[in-house]
Amino acid sequence: MAGKEDLKLLGLLVSPFVIRVRMALSMKGLNYEYVEEDIFNKSELLIKLNPVHKKVPVLIHNGKPICESLVIVQYVDELFAGRAILPTDPYERATALFWAAYIEDKLSPAWIGILKAKAEEERAEKVKETLAAIEHVEVAFAKCSNGNAFFGGDSIGYFDIVLGSFLFWFEALRRMYGLEIINTSKTPLLAAWAERFRGSVEAKEVVPEADKAVQYANKLHAATAAAVKLVSSE
Amino acid sequence: MDHHLEQQAAESEKKAVKLLGMWASPYVLQVRWALAMKGVEYEYVEEDLRSKSAQLLAYNPVHKKVPVLVYHGRPIAESQVILEFIDDAWNHRGDPILPRDPYRRAMARFWARFKQDKLSPPIWRWFTTEGEEQEAAYEAAVEQLLVLEKELAVSGKPFFGGEKVGFVDLSLSPLAYVIPIYEEIVTGGGGGGVKMVTEEKMPSLAAWMGRFLSSPAVRGHLPPLEKLRPRCQAMREAFLVSARAKVEQQQQQ
């Protein structure tokens, strides 16, 4: 059990990247101070601690900042005893890291691109990319899970957190655009896994309702539209 | 007797470890240097990326790229993942690739991602464009390089990994030998013109480049500069020709 550690997390309730970190901290039984950032009005603290990206999450441990969700999750896993988040076998760990990198490099920009698309053509392109990427992940799940409930075994682990943190946003995209990224016919294994993930104690603790994500998306779109109006009215 | 056993061990290791690579790939070189740091024997297979082998497609169906490290028949792809694996699998041997301290490990992973996400794209754009687009890319690249410069200068250490070459140095390695080639090609090799890393603006980075290339792991397997130069030149020309053709096409519409 972790002793008294000085942990502070700068975050955003609807950020899947922040949720990954919250799940990892919770899995290790760690207490921390949570600070909600206003992304439309970033605090000086955030800018000072993450000058390179100016993004959340930022974990501050004993005064030292750590940025980038995947880096933070690995840090928490390596430093604190208790439940293992990443696999302990080097090859299995490499496999988990490979798929996390795939999620970050291919899946993440694609689905976020659906939200940020400024034209229908662009959105359609991003939808295609997202669906192509998720197909690869379905294959990965079949191979890695070996019939188990989650990617790494019978309990939630690193890759489950990395992908699972996106699920409420996938639901938001379904409500906004009628798009099903994971569905029972095309990606049956992931669909079943998603049910299990959503129903887990770990997820229920920190994952918000999809409506919160929809609200945030609307706010983002309104802000972008306002900015465009401002620029074009100059 | 001891020597014979050692030899046997080396030979069986060579059978257990295979690397699929391509001579020009900086990602493959990083892996070769990491394996050298750990004194690992391996079989190297040169891939023709224009005609990918069945082996490569089977081992890396998702990306179809090199490097792929095959360990006892099981493949690992993505250079950063491979470097961590090498460090894990041979952590009892040679120098550590990632620092041992968890906070420093986190910083190392952060800087490796920084290079991929923030530094490589503008450098590539600078090399493959001209005119205003190139100027903007140049400014963006320099801005990010200065971030690295500050990081190294503040640490006061010879390498990003500290006293010795480490994970971040390996991840940044293309900067050490590809940028000078790009600088030559972009300025037409006539001297003068635009340099990206100067001793004046980035003294720590400039010194690191030479130091990195003469470090023990790298010295044993130098990047093939002579072959790389014409290849890079051809790449830049291909991109410029294609971009100019697009512009012409748009103007004719």
Side-chain angles (χ1 to χ4, degrees):
Chain A
M1 204 56 181
K4 193 88 180 68
E5 296 285 344
D6 181 15
L7 286 164
K8 184 149 108 175
L9 178 65
L10 305 187
L12 180 68
L13 283 170
V14 293
S15 162
F17 307 101
V18 172
I19 282 163
R20 290 168 177 173
V21 174
R22 298 189 79 173
M23 286 189 72
L25 290 168
S26 161
M27 282 163 75
K28 292 289 189 182
L30 294 165
N31 292 315
Y32 58 98
E33 183 196 341
Y34 178 78
V35 176
E36 178 78 0
E37 279 284 331
D38 178 1
I39 294 309
F40 299 97
N41 202 357
K42 293 176 186 179
S43 72
E44 269 183 47
L45 184 66
L46 173 60
I47 295 175
K48 178 173 142 211
L49 295 176
N50 189 0
V52 172
H53 300 291
K54 304 180 183 57
K55 285 181 177 170
V56 291
V58 179
L59 182 72
I60 307 154
H61 182 212
N62 296 334
K64 293 194 289 199
I66 303 119
C67 311
E68 297 290 284
S69 65
L70 295 185
V71 174
I72 301 172
V73 171
Q74 246 187 307
Y75 173 76
V76 167
D77 196 32
E78 285 175 354
L79 188 57
F80 298 108
R83 203 169 146 189
I85 299 174
L86 271 125
T88 44
D89 169 70
Y91 185 79
E92 284 173 31
R93 184 155 54 233
T95 304
L97 290 173
F98 171 87
W99 284 107
Y102 181 80
I103 298 289
E104 288 305 74
D105 297 336
K106 302 283 179 199
L107 181 61
S108 187
W111 77 256
I112 291 175
I114 297 172
L115 266 183
K116 291 194 167 165
K118 296 190 191 85
E120 269 318 302
E121 239 178 65
E122 201 190 327
R123 181 162 294 130
E125 194 48 50
K126 291 296 165 190
V127 167
K128 243 173 80 178
E129 279 174 36
T130 306
L131 295 177
I134 206 76
E135 257 182 58
H136 274 126
V137 179
E138 171 81 2
V139 173
F141 187 82
K143 268 199 239 165
C144 300
S145 64
N146 261 324
N148 284 315
F150 298 98
F151 273 91
D154 52 22
S155 62
I156 287 183
Y158 181 72
F159 190 50
D160 304 288
I161 296 177
V162 172
L163 181 62
S165 54
F166 288 166
L167 291 173
F168 75 107
W169 267 102
F170 288 177
E171 173 57 22
L173 289 174
R174 193 190 63 79
R175 293 182 196 181
M176 291 167 71
Y177 303 109
L179 169 70
E180 273 196 351
I181 295 171
I182 291 178
N183 71 40
T184 45
S185 49
K186 292 228 184 85
T187 55
L189 295 177
L190 283 179
W193 163 84
E195 274 300 305
R196 290 191 290 270
F197 183 91
R198 270 192 291 264
S200 71
V201 163
E202 297 94 329
K204 281 190 172 155
E205 260 182 356
V206 292
V207 177
E209 283 300 315
D211 264 333
K212 291 272 188 277
V214 175
Q215 278 169 36
Y216 181 81
N218 290 334
K219 198 170 167 187
L220 204 67
H221 287 155
T224 316
V228 169
K229 258 201 182 140
L230 204 64
V231 167
S232 57
S233 69
E234 279 166 2
Chain B
M1 207 37 143
D2 270 339
H3 175 70
H4 182 64
L5 283 175
E6 247 178 60
Q7 242 191 339
Q8 267 194 334
E11 274 164 26
S12 75
E13 183 171 77
K14 202 165 179 181
K15 291 202 189 104
V17 185
K18 181 152 72 174
L19 176 65
L20 308 186
M22 198 279 250
W23 65 268
S25 163
Y27 302 104
V28 170
L29 263 178
Q30 286 171 29
V31 172
R32 299 196 81 163
W33 290 328
L35 289 166
M37 280 168 72
K38 294 293 188 181
V40 175
E41 298 282 331
Y42 61 98
E43 180 197 343
Y44 177 77
V45 177
E46 177 75 15
E47 283 284 333
D48 178 0
L49 296 181
R50 293 160 303 182
S51 173
K52 293 175 185 179
S53 71
Q55 192 179 204
L56 174 59
L57 297 175
Y59 281 142
N60 192 2
V62 172
H63 300 293
K64 305 180 179 59
K65 286 182 178 172
V66 290
V68 179
L69 187 73
V70 185
Y71 184 69
H72 291 285
R74 300 158 93 191
I76 302 134
E78 292 294 283
S79 59
Q80 233 188 301
V81 177
I82 297 173
L83 292 185
E84 280 210 41
F85 175 79
I86 291 171
D87 204 28
D88 267 345
W90 287 282
N91 70 15
H92 51 282
R93 253 210 260 176
D95 291 320
I97 294 174
L98 274 161
R100 298 265 190 242
D101 169 66
Y103 184 74
R104 292 187 57 219
R105 287 166 82 86
M107 288 293 100
R109 290 175 181 130
F110 174 84
W111 287 113
R113 286 298 302 198
F114 170 83
K115 183 255 173 195
Q116 200 179 319
D117 297 340
K118 293 246 147 180
L119 193 50
S120 293
I123 292 178
W124 180 245
R125 255 192 337 266
W126 168 68
F127 184 64
T128 54
T129 61
E130 52 190 347
E132 264 176 41
E133 201 181 340
Q134 185 187 43
E135 277 167 37
Y138 177 84
E139 295 301 327
V142 167
E143 196 187 318
Q144 303 305 340
L145 283 168
L146 287 172
V147 172
L148 275 183
E149 167 69 22
K150 186 170 163 197
E151 185 64 22
L152 193 56
V154 161
S155 83
K157 300 280 184 185
F159 298 102
F160 287 90
E163 298 301 328
K164 292 186 175 168
V165 164
F167 188 75
V168 178
D169 304 279
L170 291 175
S171 304
L172 295 176
S173 59
L175 298 183
Y177 65 93
V178 177
I179 287 191
I181 295 177
Y182 285 2
E183 285 170 344
E184 264 184 53
I185 293 170
V186 168
T187 61
V194 177
K195 274 191 70 103
M196 193 166 264
V197 178
T198 59
E199 267 176 48
E200 202 185 8
K201 274 191 294 181
M202 304 175 199
S204 306
L205 265 183
W208 169 83
M209 285 162 69
R211 210 178 289 132
F212 177 78
L213 291 175
S214 24
S215 66
V218 177
R219 258 198 330 252
H221 196 101
L222 287 171
L225 300 177
E226 290 313 308
K227 277 166 75 179
L228 275 175
R229 215 168 272 123
R231 183 187 165 88
C232 291
Q233 175 109 41
M235 258 197 294
R236 173 167 166 78
E237 274 163 22
F239 271 96
L240 293 184
V241 162
S242 156
R244 287 170 195 160
K246 267 199 202 129
V247 168
E248 254 187 64
Q249 234 182 24
Q250 284 167 357
Q251 285 173 347
Q252 280 164 12
Q253 279 167 1

